[in-house]
Amino acid sequence: MNQAERNVEATRPDHVAERLYQARRFDISVDRPFEDFRRQYEEAVPPYDPTAFNALVARGAPWTDVLSLMRERAPNGFLIY
């Protein structure tokens, strides 16, 4: 650990934890301008509906109900959070 890292660690509040992890990032070329691609993606991927999911939690629904809701709300398997 270098001096800068020790300085950051010394000033970090007790309730804050640092987790290092490795991530893989994909850069995908598309055949249209970014704004067009983003619009098309957002049309195909619905937003997360906290009300629907919170209702499942409130009634203690089984995981199969969560999967059913996902199939209904996110036919492509993705939601925008």
Side-chain angles (χ1 to χ4, degrees):
M1 179 182 307
N2 65 36
Q3 185 61 44
E5 291 169 327
R6 283 192 295 276
N7 289 344
V8 168
E9 190 171 293
T11 60
R12 184 179 302 133
D14 291 338
H15 65 278
V16 175
E18 179 179 3
R19 306 258 192 273
L20 299 178
Y21 66 94
Q22 183 176 354
R24 184 167 303 213
R25 180 179 128 169
F26 293 96
D27 291 327
I28 302 169
S29 296
V30 294
D31 61 352
R32 63 198 58 132
F34 175 76
E35 292 301 323
D36 293 344
F37 179 80
R38 182 176 66 181
R39 180 187 45 72
Q40 187 177 10
Y41 175 84
E42 290 176 351
E43 289 171 359
V45 178
Y48 168 72
D49 178 3
T51 302
F53 284 93
N54 288 342
L56 294 177
V57 171
R59 68 178 175 85
W63 186 245
T64 54
D65 288 5
V66 175
L67 296 177
S68 293
L69 181 62
M70 282 296 295
R71 278 191 298 278
E72 173 190 321
R73 300 289 175 97
N76 296 311
F78 295 100
L79 291 173
I80 296 175
Y81 290 90

